[in-house]
Amino acid sequence: MATKLWVNDALQILAESFAPVPHELNELDWKARFSDQRDRLAEHLMAFANHPNGGYLVFGVDNDGKATGVDQTQITSIVGQLSNLGRDAVAPPLALDHAVAEAPDGTPLLLVRIPESPVKPAHRRGKSIEEAWVRSGGTTRKASRHEIGALLMNSCTPHWEDLRASPLLSLADVQHHLDLEAIAKLLQRPLPEDMEDLGRWLVQEGITAIDGRGHYITNFGAIAAARKLDDFPSLERKRIRLIRYRGTNKVDTIDELPGQRGYAVAFEALIGHLRRVLPHSEVIKQSLRTETAVYPEIALRELIANALIHQDFSISGAGPMVDVFSDRITITNPGALLPGKRPDRLIGATPESRNEKLASAFRRYRICEERGTGFQKVVQAIELFGLPPLQITPHDTAFSVTLSAPRKFAEMGAAERIEACYQHAVLQYLSSQTLTNTTLRERFKLHDKQRNSITNLISDAVDAGRIKRKDTNSGNKFAEYIPYWA
């Protein structure tokens, strides 16, 4: 049977404690036998749980550092009682692991691994957090208030991305379930060939977590790189769905494409499929008739990527959706806007995500931006393609954005024109420029003869509180405008 992955580390620390003079370390404590002082044992567990990278209890070594050994009966009793202590006497509860190894002279020893607790301080259950212990000078002592404060600063509640999506697997099984070659390609690096190197790389990337003899695939690893999301029961409802409709409502469905693979490894295929099925228009350039997409690809990429990485994974039974109608595309993700965020302030907003690891990975995979310029690029592309404004709609438990097919200025409603005016003002402001009658006419691709129509629109946008004059003392002819919040 394969050796547990942490055992070599424990044996190396044990060897260091034996030589040159036997001495206990902050990472390890010897025990000749199981003590009747259960409170003291619980303190050792808390201390190791509060220590960086955790620590080890070694049973079968006396106080002088001499190996005395353990037998099967002792092993069974010690493991059972320690497990109960870790569960019942410590908050948050600890999940311990153990293994039997040999001392240098061949004496059997029981190694018990106490992992570092992500939520600190680990303290006595039912008591205040001041009932916490730490390791210092190879001994266990009560934590000072200063040390408790430091532990609180190093405490972190596990994120959804770090939780387990699979049972314990071998590296071969991990490779079977995840498209690691595609991830390596996205990172523009070769996939490690050596299995130890591969295991370390997977942990560094957050794709797996080591425990015992194998790896757990994390939620991040599965949602990003799964060959089949159906292999992960907790994630199968998080597949992205692309549905096409024949008209402008959901009455007549053409087809549905449910995503099968992880978001990162399937992203380019999804965008490619959209390019193929979305309508194109014919344009004539230099006397040659060519086809061009109705919707800008950069807008599709940014909006779909945003829906994937900013969704609320705690909402069960719902995943991202792309609804394609004859006159628009709506992209919806589970989860309301983060507190403090307003729909009309998302363009150029400071980047913030529920799922930081997923957002960071998508940037490293070169799938999307993470600098707050995503919506800015979308609006810029919308103006270049002459589309109506981006429609941003918050819901109670979801969030959607809509790209509309091209419509002329005369075909847009009053509310659409005002929103387009506002978004243009924001875009100009973020480029250190201002909205003028000329820039807005260029946005709508209107002739100079339609200056009065734009003048009226600007007046309507001012009255609606969406834009304001940059200089209230300037004349009307060369008036400049900025967003209402600038």
Side-chain angles (χ1 to χ4, degrees), residues 282-292 385:
E282 288 189 340
V283 296
I284 299 176
K285 293 182 179 180
Q286 298 178 344
S287 302
L288 295 176
R289 188 181 299 274
T290 60
E291 276 200 347
T292 185
F385 274 60

Side-chain angles (χ1 to χ4, degrees), residues 152-420:
L152 286 168
M153 292 180 65
N154 285 283
S155 176
C156 62
T157 303
H159 294 105
W160 178 89
E161 296 139 303
D162 300 320
L163 301 179
R164 299 168 180 173
S166 77
L168 196 63
L169 302 171
S170 67
L171 275 178
D173 288 333
V174 171
Q175 288 179 295
H176 172 73
H177 288 293
L178 303 181
D179 191 347
L180 302 179
E181 295 82 1
I183 295 295
K185 186 177 180 180
L186 288 170
L187 290 170
Q188 297 181 309
R189 60 152 294 165
L191 187 68
E193 295 182 2
D194 180 80
M195 294 302 279
E196 286 191 14
D197 290 342
L198 177 63
R200 280 193 291 269
W201 176 70
L202 290 173
V203 173
Q204 289 170 0
E205 289 291 327
I207 294 172
T208 66
I210 292 178
D211 196 338
R213 295 186 179 87
H215 290 249
Y216 291 99
I217 297 174
T218 62
N219 279 337
F220 164 72
I223 205 67
R227 296 184 188 274
K228 289 177 60 181
L229 282 172
D230 285 351
D231 290 341
F232 303 92
S234 62
L235 299 179
E236 60 182 343
R237 296 297 300 273
K238 295 301 177 183
R239 295 179 297 177
I240 186 168
R241 296 170 60 199
L242 191 157
I243 307 175
R244 290 196 301 157
Y245 302 96
R246 204 171 301 279
T248 59
N249 55 46
K250 295 186 176 183
V251 173
D252 192 359
T253 302
I254 298 175
D255 55 31
E256 178 176 347
L257 179 71
Q260 300 291 340
R261 304 168 66 206
Y263 295 164
V265 298
F267 190 80
E268 290 302 329
L270 173 63
I271 297 300
H273 177 76
L274 268 174
R275 280 200 305 263
R276 290 190 296 272
V277 301
L278 288 177
H280 291 68
S281 61
E282 288 189 340
V283 296
I284 299 176
K285 293 182 179 180
Q286 298 178 344
S287 302
L288 295 176
R289 188 181 299 274
T290 60
E291 276 200 347
T292 185
V294 168
Y295 299 101
E297 183 178 328
I298 183 66
L300 293 172
R301 295 180 68 91
E302 289 292 337
L303 294 176
I304 292 175
N306 273 336
L308 297 178
I309 64 179
H310 295 304
Q311 66 179 295
D312 187 346
F313 284 101
S314 68
I315 297 177
S316 60
M321 293 188 63
V322 180
D323 292 311
V324 181
F325 302 92
S326 61
D327 63 344
R328 68 193 187 280
I329 299 175
T330 297
I331 300 160
T332 305
N333 62 273
L337 277 176
L338 290 170
K341 294 290 185 180
R342 294 174 53 180
D344 66 346
R345 294 298 307 276
L346 293 179
I347 305 168
T350 302
E352 186 179 358
S353 175
R354 289 185 179 90
N355 313 298
E356 295 295 340
K357 184 171 289 185
L358 193 59
S360 176
F362 266 48
R363 175 186 55 80
R364 294 173 58 231
Y365 300 157
R366 294 165 292 115
I367 289 175
C368 70
E369 295 280 351
E370 200 193 15
R371 299 194 297 268
T373 60
F375 276 103
Q376 191 173 341
K377 286 185 174 181
V378 170
V379 174
Q380 194 170 36
I382 282 173
E383 292 196 353
L384 182 64
F385 274 60
L387 308 184
L390 181 69
Q391 182 181 335
I392 302 172
T393 309
H395 309 280
D396 289 341
T397 59
F399 177 76
S400 66
V401 290
T402 299
L403 278 174
S404 298
R407 285 203 302 277
K408 295 179 181 180
F409 178 79
E411 298 170 336
M412 294 185 196
E416 277 187 312
R417 294 178 185 178
I418 291 174
E419 183 61 24

